[in-house]
Amino acid sequence: MKAEIIAVGTELLLGQIVNSNAAFLSQELAVLGINVYHHVVVGDNPERLDQVLTEAEKRSDLIILSGGLGPTKDDMTKQTIAAHLNRSLITDAATLKTIVEYHEKTKRPMPENNKLQAVVIEGSTVLKNPTGLAAGMFIKENGKMYVLLPGPPSELKPMFLQEARPLLLANSDKPELLVSRVLRFFGIGESKLVTILDDLIENQKNPTIAPYAGVHEVTLRLTANGGSEKACNELLDRLEATIQERVGTYFYGYGDETTLVEVVVDLLKEKKLKITAAESLTGGAFQSLLASVSGVSAIFDGGVVTYSNESKTKVLGVSSDTIKQYGVVSEACSIEMAEGVKQLYGTDIAISFTGVAGPETLENQPAGTVWIGLAVTGQKTIAKCFHFGRNRNGNREQAALSGLEMVRRILKNIPLDEE
Amino acid sequence: MKAEIIAVGTELLLGQIVNSNAAFLSQELAVLGINVYHHVVVGDNPERLDQVLTEAEKRSDLIILSGGLGPTKDDMTKQTIAAHLNRSLITDAATLKTIVEYHEKTKRPMPENNKLQAVVIEGSTVLKNPTGLAAGMFIKENGKMYVLLPGPPSELKPMFLQEARPLLLANSDKPELLVSRVLRFFGIGESKLVTILDDLIENQKNPTIAPYAGVHEVTLRLTANGGSEKACNELLDRLEATIQERVGTYFYGYGDETTLVEVVVDLLKEKKLKITAAESLTGGAFQSLLASVSGVSAIFDGGVVTYSNESKTKVLGVSSDTIKQYGVVSEACSIEMAEGVKQLYGTDIAISFTGVAGPETLENQPAGTVWIGLAVTGQKTIAKCFHFGRNRNGNREQAALSGLEMVRRILKNIPLDEE
């Protein structure tokens, strides 16, 4: 099945917003085995939308439209499609009821034009809007399928997943069940991961394997199809076991939304261990990452930012001899920082960051050189040296994340360094 | 002039990346007075690109293509356009020289296929790539204009601004000069700003006024056209003076890339004042923002993150009576935190953050309640209470930025509160 995604909205053509809906829908359609061959953006203009639609019908079987379902004069997507397909517009009673009840419940006056959001194309399957008011639509005509979705991503995503996806599955060439599993990796580049899994990727069939490089991490989306969820999961389990055997030490979690910091905070909570940090080049980025997780107070009381040499000595008790002899971009300094902040905050674990954010060099070390120290109660304090890139804030982010990964490995008894 | 932007790349159709280039180019074209009526995305497929091109030529005068200029087998944009226009491909000597010299200078071996990036369409104006290797192209044929740009935004943006934009200006319907000025505001919402400037926006002609709401701030892009840069700037000066008179206290800087933290760091450097911070709910976000600016060490030695109540007492000397009586989400606590960290780091200015990040309430205060304290040598320590939203990390970001704005106002002698 060939699909095309048409976004309707002049704000996209003015560059005021980015068409992130097209990326979301494309990812989802890829998982369903539906090929997307075109994205189009057109303004709030019935004539041009009609032309774009005529073009799309020549080359695509499935046409997904986003935007233009709202109550204002600009919104003309369903009006244009109705005219294009020679159908009438009718009010959907169930949607209207939801809209009226919403205004009653929230004690807001209902502007008359809000009722327009309950108007749908005759003969369409109405798609409920779990997070907004405008109804979506699914239409089959002349062997083509049309899906109309609202423009705001917060409405489009749930409507697609809950309402449109099942209809597409039921109407697609692949009526079997599709089950996906996302594996997340940190500390390994995409090219290395793909090289290690080369044979699996080359010979993929069912499940499929889709690698994706994020900013500082890599994910693999495994997708199996089969007659039942159990059958799909068995296929996924088997493939995942092979992958874990080869690159399992870099694997930190499942799912589209999971983050390394959440995984580390959960591990610390599970083991009831408190953590603190002393940050130089990261300047608070590591602790701010921790604080981004709700409920972190169970394992985090605070820490320090010691940006200047003097503050490392004064606040953390790093010896000025150490700094004189080895510099602050050194194993010795990172170890004393970690031990100093551990004592100050009385925690089980303490981590330290010292290095060269850049762009300038420091102590003759190039930008991106970072020492991370790790002090754990009952263990010898260790430190690891990293060499990141040349971008100041990229280096700071990578350092903070690499610190989290060091903590994850210590808590999971995984060696810090791979062969 | 009607323009169309065609992005070439299967990775866009798989949803692996978002088409941010289209938004960037659209914004830039809008400023040039060029109307963008269509965006299209097509995969790395010569046949489909050719079809899309034929369609575009029917409705657009200017066709801007992004992507597919690289050295790999996937990259086929210039090959397809050359065939479409019935022109040959030739090697551009100047580009080839740059590519060879780049590899010599960086001591990297040059893969043979890298030379492909110097291949251009015969008769085109070659666009230099200031940040990469692949050459761009500008072509005029049959009253149509074609611009070929590389896909990576880091290459596309400078090539467009430095190479393509002047050619478009020289070839556009509006041969006059266009000069833009971007004004940046913090602490005022878009709707309020637009209401205050309602008459100016309603009656805009030359200069035009384009408001844009960012995540936590608002910008206005003023664009004047005239016969000379001086004439344009006079028009801009006059309009800006009116705007500054009405909302100047919220104005913090000029330009597309300027950030509030850079402005504040520059002010502190100019006045030779050192700053420190004590952070609770922000967890290091304020200090991490400071550390994002290169050269911040001149005015920042470090600070602390005191997330737990105990650490506020132990590290900063906040009295436990204060916490018992007023709680940590209080004016009194924020003041003692600011004064405590000021003493610890011996700075001229100290700022503190304490409040409810959310999503849960704290001390019966709703998520988003934040006290920011400010201690300045020779002045009475003050504190200000904010009520942000319900999103944990949105609240943390807004708090950090609002702290910067408080510092900016103190340094510029602007009252902290507007009428």
Side-chain angles (χ1 to χ4, degrees), chain B residues 258-278:
Chain B
T258 306
T259 59
L260 183 56
V261 68
E262 285 167 357
V263 169
V264 170
V265 168
D266 282 348
L267 274 173
L268 289 165
K269 279 175 154 177
E270 189 186 308
K271 294 181 184 272
K272 294 192 175 25
L273 296 173
K274 286 210 170 187
I275 190 168
T276 185

Side-chain angles (χ1 to χ4, degrees), chain B residues 11 19 41 45 59-60 65 71 95 127 129 139-140 148 200 230 245 261-262 295 298 306 318 347 349 358 416:
Chain B
E11 67 279 17
N19 189 9
V41 179
N45 177 295
R59 60 195 182 194
S60 305
L65 294 117
T95 307
L127 308 180
N129 190 332
I139 301 164
K140 282 176 82 165
L148 279 72
L200 301 176
K230 186 158 170 277
E245 206 181 308
V261 68
E262 285 167 357
T306 49
V318 173
T347 56
I349 299 180
L416 285 190

Side-chain angles (χ1 to χ4, degrees), chain A residues 173-218:
Chain A
D173 314 335
K174 292 194 184 176
E176 295 145 325
L177 201 63
L178 286 168
V179 179
S180 275
R181 186 179 298 176
V182 173
L183 311 183
R184 309 188 71 88
F185 300 87
F186 184 84
I188 183 167
E190 188 190 20
S191 57
K192 186 171 171 194
L193 185 80
V194 165
T195 305
I196 295 174
L197 304 179
D198 188 36
D199 55 318
L200 301 177
I201 293 171
E202 198 63 37
N203 303 315
Q204 63 175 299
K205 258 190 155 160
N206 182 23
T208 56
I209 307 177
Y212 179 68
V215 182
H216 296 299
E217 57 177 29
V218 191

Side-chain angles (χ1 to χ4, degrees), chain B residues 227-279:
Chain B
S228 71
E229 204 168 321
K230 186 158 170 277
C232 290
N233 274 319
E234 278 170 10
L235 287 170
L236 292 173
D237 288 346
R238 216 172 309 149
L239 175 60
E240 189 193 331
T242 312
I243 293 171
Q244 294 283 11
E245 206 181 308
R246 298 192 197 173
V247 288
T249 53
Y250 299 99
F251 168 79
Y252 75 80
Y254 294 100
D256 271 317
E257 306 287 334
T258 306
T259 59
L260 183 56
V261 68
E262 285 167 357
V263 169
V264 170
V265 168
D266 282 348
L267 274 173
L268 289 165
K269 279 175 154 177
E270 189 186 308
K271 294 181 184 272
K272 294 192 175 25
L273 296 173
K274 286 210 170 187
I275 190 168
T276 185
E279 304 189 52

Side-chain angles (χ1 to χ4, degrees), chain A residues 40-288:
Chain A
V40 175
V41 179
V42 64
D44 304 314
N45 177 295
E47 201 186 318
R48 281 195 286 274
L49 174 55
D50 190 74
Q51 283 166 3
V52 159
L53 215 51
T54 303
E55 206 49 43
E57 285 162 345
K58 289 184 201 155
R59 59 194 182 195
S60 306
D61 312 304
L62 166 63
I63 300 170
I64 301 189
L65 295 116
S66 65
L69 300 185
T72 70
K73 272 180 277 174
D74 294 351
D75 298 305
M76 32 54 68
T77 301
K78 60 194 172 196
Q79 292 82 348
T80 306
I81 310 278
H84 184 86
L85 297 178
N86 212 2
R87 297 196 187 196
S88 324
L89 290 164
I90 54 169
T91 296
D92 180 59
T95 306
L96 184 60
K97 190 161 167 265
T98 312
I99 295 175
V100 171
E101 283 175 358
Y102 167 82
H103 287 90
E104 282 170 6
K105 224 180 282 172
T106 57
K107 297 197 171 59
R108 296 175 197 217
M110 183 170 91
E112 191 55 27
N113 63 2
N114 258 350
K115 289 186 188 166
L116 269 178
Q117 298 183 97
V119 169
V120 298
I121 298 170
E122 198 169 21
S124 61
T125 306
V126 175
L127 309 180
K128 282 184 204 153
N129 189 332
T131 53
L133 298 180
M137 282 150 262
F138 176 84
I139 301 163
K140 283 177 82 166
E141 180 154 324
N142 291 330
K144 305 278 172 194
M145 285 187 275
Y146 304 81
V147 179
L148 281 72
L149 300 171
S154 61
E155 298 182 25
L156 177 135
K157 289 181 185 185
M159 186 186 285
F160 179 83
L161 294 173
Q162 295 171 35
E163 299 277 312
R165 194 178 184 279
L167 287 168
L168 290 178
L169 257 181
N171 283 283
S172 87
D173 314 335
K174 292 194 184 176
E176 295 145 325
L177 201 63
L178 286 168
V179 179
S180 275
R181 186 179 298 176
V182 173
L183 311 183
R184 309 188 71 88
F185 300 87
F186 184 84
I188 183 167
E190 188 190 20
S191 57
K192 186 171 171 194
L193 185 80
V194 165
T195 305
I196 295 174
L197 304 179
D198 188 36
D199 55 318
L200 301 177
I201 293 171
E202 198 63 37
N203 303 315
Q204 63 175 299
K205 258 190 155 160
N206 182 23
T208 56
I209 307 177
Y212 179 68
V215 182
H216 296 299
E217 57 177 29
V218 191
T219 60
L220 289 178
R221 181 187 287 267
L222 317 181
T223 306
N225 72 70
S228 70
E229 206 169 320
K230 188 160 167 277
C232 291
N233 274 318
E234 278 170 9
L235 287 170
L236 292 173
D237 288 345
R238 217 171 309 151
L239 175 60
E240 189 192 332
T242 312
I243 293 171
Q244 293 283 12
E245 207 182 305
R246 299 193 197 171
V247 288
T249 52
Y250 299 99
F251 167 80
Y252 74 80
Y254 294 100
D256 272 317
E257 306 285 335
T258 306
T259 59
L260 183 57
V261 66
E262 286 167 358
V263 168
V264 170
V265 168
D266 282 348
L267 274 173
L268 289 165
K269 279 175 155 177
E270 190 187 306
K271 296 183 181 269
K272 295 193 176 24
L273 296 172
K274 286 208 170 187
I275 190 169
T276 186
E279 303 188 52
S280 183
L281 84 151
T282 45
F286 178 86
Q287 295 171 78
S288 185

Side-chain angles (χ1 to χ4, degrees), chain A residues 390, chain B residues 98-111 114 133:
Chain A
R390 273 146 217 272
Chain B
T98 313
I99 295 175
V100 171
E101 283 175 357
Y102 167 81
H103 287 91
E104 282 170 5
K105 225 180 281 170
T106 57
K107 297 192 174 61
R108 296 175 197 219
M110 183 170 91
N114 257 353
L133 298 180

